[in-house]
Amino acid sequence: LIEGANVVVDGTDNFETRYLINDACVKHGLPWVYGGVVSTYGATTTFIPGRTACLRCLLATMPAPGTVPTCDTVGVLGPAVNVVASLEIVQAIKVLTGQVPVPPPLIFIDVWEGLWEVVTLQKGEASCPTCDEGRFDFLRAREGHRVVELCGRDTFQITPRRRTPLPLEQLAGRLREVGRVFQNEYLLRLEMAPYELTVFADGRTLVKGAKDEAEARGIYARYVGS
Ligand SMILES: [Zn+2]
């Protein structure tokens, strides 16, 4: 997908894809303009392989499933998307004209609160598995989520490669906004026609009603998150 590109500008909605983009851009030496928005706030920056920190320098491990809000659980305000998208275009123009300052700015905005904060994107001392050690765990599918179809049940099972306890109660609170939720200490069930999600405390999730793996991954990213 990125072959022949001069810059990658993303508007993706989940961390698994962002880490995959990070691997691909570092591997191929491509600048990446990152933008993420949820609720009324967002962040954006530019990653340039070999010159700046990469995403994995900042966040060594992907946030655990169920720990981050998503646009489908807390919503997203259109103007916040517009502001971050506009800032991404400015950064893409700077990349294409060779005018990105190093270290680049990392910009946080909250359009509701009127907040605008800029820090510089610094690379830490710790060795980064991706840009220092050349390990592309997401491209090689050693990280991220495993998806298998459960035969004849119209159901896909999504298993995070890193098992971490999932805050079921917190997630249930957010999902009550989008459908019928049943929750106990072992699992959470969300009924939201035509889908039914069963999320276990270790992050394993069954997505019923998705017609293929891509749709199941999308539903997981939107409602469980990460
Ligand atoms: Zn890095």
Side-chain angles (χ1 to χ4, degrees), residues 22 26 52-58 123 128-132:
N22 189 61
V26 171
T52 71
C54 80
L55 176 66
R56 212 162 171 196
C57 292
L58 302 187
K123 182 161 167 55
C128 169
T130 307
C131 66
D132 292 323

Side-chain angles (χ1 to χ4, degrees), residues 209-224:
K211 52 182 186 305
D212 55 32
E213 181 182 326
E215 187 180 355
R217 278 183 185 271
I219 295 295
Y220 181 87
R222 286 165 61 186
Y223 296 104
V224 181

Side-chain angles (χ1 to χ4, degrees), residues 188-204:
L188 173 162
R189 180 164 297 133
L190 167 67
E191 290 172 11
M192 183 192 52
Y195 307 109
E196 186 182 292
L197 268 73
T198 307
V199 185
F200 296 95
D202 64 356
R204 193 163 47 88

Side-chain angles (χ1 to χ4, degrees), residues 16 62 65 137 140-147 158-164 217:
E16 190 176 15
M62 202 165 80
D137 296 330
R140 291 177 175 175
R142 285 191 184 149
E143 289 279 355
H145 308 314
R146 245 174 329 123
V147 182
I158 300 181
T159 310
R161 282 177 208 272
R162 271 174 211 276
R163 299 285 186 98
T164 45
R217 278 183 185 271

Side-chain angles (χ1 to χ4, degrees), residues 2 5-8 20-34 45-57 95 100-102 104 121 123 128 130-132 134 136:
I2 62 173
N6 296 107
V7 58
V8 173
L20 194 62
I21 295 172
N22 189 61
D23 271 11
C25 288
V26 171
K27 187 174 179 185
H28 297 287
L30 268 178
W32 169 29
V33 178
Y34 162 86
T45 192
T46 304
F47 297 111
I48 303 180
R51 297 183 64 204
T52 71
C54 80
L55 176 66
R56 212 162 171 196
C57 292
V95 169
V100 178
V102 176
L121 179 68
K123 182 161 167 55
C128 169
T130 307
C131 66
D132 292 323
F136 303 110

Side-chain angles (χ1 to χ4, degrees), residues 35-44 76-91 109 111 116:
V37 187
V38 71
S39 185
T40 61
Y41 54 90
T44 180
V76 63
L77 200 66
V81 178
N82 295 343
V83 171
V84 170
S86 298
L87 292 170
E88 287 191 75
I89 294 165
V90 173
Q91 292 169 93
I109 57 113
V111 294
W116 175 284

